[in-house]
Amino acid sequence: MSRVYNFSAGPAVLPEEVLREAQEEMLDYRGCGMSVMEMSHRSAMFGEIIQEAEKDLRELMNIPDNYKVLFLQGGASLQFAMIPMNLMKNRVADYIVTGQWAKKAWQEAQKYGKANKIASSEDKTFSYIPDCSDLPISEDADYVYICENNTIYGTKFRELPNTKGKDLVADVSSCFLSEPVDVSRYAVLYGGVQKNIGPAGMVIAIVREDLITDDVLPGTPTMMKYKTHADAGSMYNTPNCWCIYICGKVFKWLKKQGGLAAMKAYNEKKAKILYDYLDESRLFKGTVEKASRSLMNVPFVTGNADLDAKFVKEAKAAGLENLKGHRTVGGMRASIYNAMPIEGVEALVDFMRKFEKENL
């Protein structure tokens, strides 16, 4: 069976080249006679895998030496608690709520201190990013929190908020490695890897070293302390070995594509094809304000729920998978991450044009 174009929001499309390499090494990794899934995480061979993955990620993102890279489990959702547990020294933090995941992070933080919602776009179903140039930042806030790209709603911060000197914490799950970033502008940036980097089951957190201390909230479990994982090189307990291995291969693939600047140009080209069509279409409409559009997640609707359902069904039959929008928004959503080839976006737009002709 030929592979489909997979527009899933996560777990999501992976580079075919990476999957083929993993397939070749599945039973025997580099002559050791076993799979990466079977080898000890304490072995020298796995040690090389994790060290090389970190080295390649540091090169790709130009991560400064005073930041630790942590390969953690529990997904992005565990970070909703881990961040306040480790960083909320004054028991105060400011949250910018631009979607469901930012809202969940804000709600979780309320268990540990005063979590202030200082800006939100909930008034218009999270269809835009609010102006964050002059926010009421709390004087005693330990950090300011954002979800940089909102997977469900298809919005993206084009400019980072003015935090007025406070530490910025960002969930970058669905835009991770899609473009160059200046890591030094963040105190913590983290992301679940299952959207734009690897298979499900892991989160990568990049944390400034001065924030990694034993000075955490009372009652913080050992496994929830950044210091536990930083001191052990992400091997305090058995890490997600298979996921680290695949992510490492994706990092090498990204380097081969020309790095993050090249990926950004490619992602802009792909997104333009779809957004240009949505802007001219008489049937389909994008749901996001132009200035806030994501390059990774593109939601759109026809305005008729039955027609939306018909589109999703016929698209699936045409080899365009996972286009149904999130249950909280309805409609359709195309996630066009790094590994989605431009041909996939072109095939989607061709199908949309045909569907529009037949259904207007």
Side-chain angles (χ1 to χ4, degrees):
M1 182 189 165
S2 63
R3 279 173 63 76
V4 298
Y5 288 122
N6 177 15
F7 295 93
S8 170
V13 60
L14 282 163
E16 196 166 321
E17 191 180 311
V18 167
L19 295 173
R20 289 193 187 283
E21 266 182 39
Q23 183 183 35
E24 280 166 25
E25 295 173 345
M26 179 63 84
L27 294 176
D28 180 7
Y29 178 74
R30 298 189 182 174
C32 75
M34 59 186 147
S35 170
V36 173
M37 280 195 260
E38 302 170 297
M39 67 175 57
S40 165
H41 63 296
R42 302 289 177 202
S43 65
M45 193 159 263
F46 185 75
E48 276 175 30
I49 290 171
I50 192 169
Q51 284 154 27
E52 200 161 321
E54 179 177 338
K55 179 175 156 290
D56 285 337
L57 181 61
R58 283 187 175 278
E59 280 176 27
L60 274 170
M61 294 183 75
N62 201 15
I63 297 172
D65 291 344
N66 65 323
Y67 283 75
K68 291 280 190 196
V69 172
L70 306 175
F71 298 104
L72 307 171
Q73 293 168 75
S77 295
L78 195 66
Q79 294 303 305
F80 299 168
M82 209 161 167
I83 285 156
M85 283 177 168
N86 284 268
L87 306 188
M88 231 192 213
K89 320 286 187 205
N90 298 326
R91 302 273 184 150
V92 180
D94 289 348
Y95 280 70
I96 298 168
V97 177
T98 51
Q100 192 164 308
W101 304 114
K103 189 176 181 178
K104 285 186 174 181
W106 166 67
Q107 288 167 334
E108 190 72 11
Q110 290 168 33
K111 295 175 181 174
Y112 305 101
K114 193 178 175 204
N116 303 305
K117 193 201 298 187
I118 56 167
S120 172
S121 53
E122 198 163 3
D123 60 329
K124 293 185 182 172
T125 328
F126 300 123
S127 59
Y128 69 102
I129 297 291
D131 178 3
C132 296
S133 58
D134 185 19
L135 294 169
I137 307 285
S138 310
E139 221 167 280
D140 51 353
D142 292 299
Y143 59 87
V144 177
Y145 181 101
I146 62 169
C147 179
E148 198 164 317
N149 188 98
N150 297 283
T151 321
I152 294 172
Y153 303 94
T155 58
K156 165 81 164 70
F157 279 80
R158 298 286 175 88
E159 300 279 329
L160 292 178
N162 174 7
T163 63
K164 301 180 181 176
K166 299 294 182 187
D167 282 340
L168 177 66
V169 174
D171 174 353
V172 297
S173 294
S174 50
C175 59
F176 219 163
L177 301 184
S178 64
E179 60 183 21
V181 292
D182 178 358
V183 174
S184 68
R185 295 187 67 189
Y186 304 81
V188 178
L189 70 156
Y190 75 88
V193 301
Q194 75 280 6
K195 296 173 183 297
N196 207 30
I197 305 175
M202 192 171 74
V203 63
I204 296 173
I206 300 163
V207 187
R208 207 176 62 221
E209 273 180 351
D210 63 289
L211 298 169
I212 300 173
T213 69
D214 279 320
D215 179 20
V216 295
L217 295 191
T220 297
T222 305
M223 279 291 287
M224 298 284 275
K225 285 166 64 173
Y226 286 132
K227 195 169 191 302
T228 300
H229 302 284
D231 288 353
S234 298
M235 299 245 256
Y236 174 75
N237 68 328
T238 310
N240 189 333
C241 300
W242 176 257
C243 197
I244 291 166
Y245 157 74
I246 297 288
C247 288
K249 287 198 177 298
V250 172
F251 302 154
K252 290 210 180 298
W253 177 81
L254 286 167
K255 286 170 81 173
K256 211 161 104 181
Q257 308 310 304
L260 301 192
M263 282 320 300
K264 184 185 184 192
Y266 189 57
N267 288 327
E268 284 174 339
K269 196 174 168 186
K270 285 190 295 188
K272 188 177 188 306
I273 293 168
L274 184 47
Y275 283 125
D276 282 356
Y277 169 67
L278 287 171
D279 289 342
E280 68 168 48
S281 172
R282 286 164 52 223
L283 179 62
F284 298 101
K285 294 282 170 283
T287 58
V288 173
E289 290 186 9
K290 281 188 184 181
S292 301
R293 283 172 167 175
S294 165
L295 295 179
M296 298 284 100
N297 311 101
V298 185
F300 56 96
V301 294
T302 64
N304 177 316
D306 291 339
L307 205 52
D308 288 350
K310 183 182 183 204
F311 174 83
V312 170
K313 188 180 175 189
E314 290 183 9
K316 182 180 170 73
L320 307 167
E321 283 276 359
N322 294 311
L323 282 162
K324 189 177 179 184
H326 192 272
R327 63 186 179 278
T328 57
V329 203
M332 285 72 68
R333 173 183 51 184
S335 293
I336 50 175
Y337 297 125
N338 283 342
M340 171 58 68
I342 203 160
E343 294 79 10
V345 181
E346 288 167 343
L348 172 60
V349 169
D350 287 347
F351 179 78
M352 289 167 79
R353 282 189 201 284
K354 178 174 169 284
F355 188 87
E356 180 169 343
K357 271 185 197 152
E358 291 167 0
N359 291 276
L360 254 190

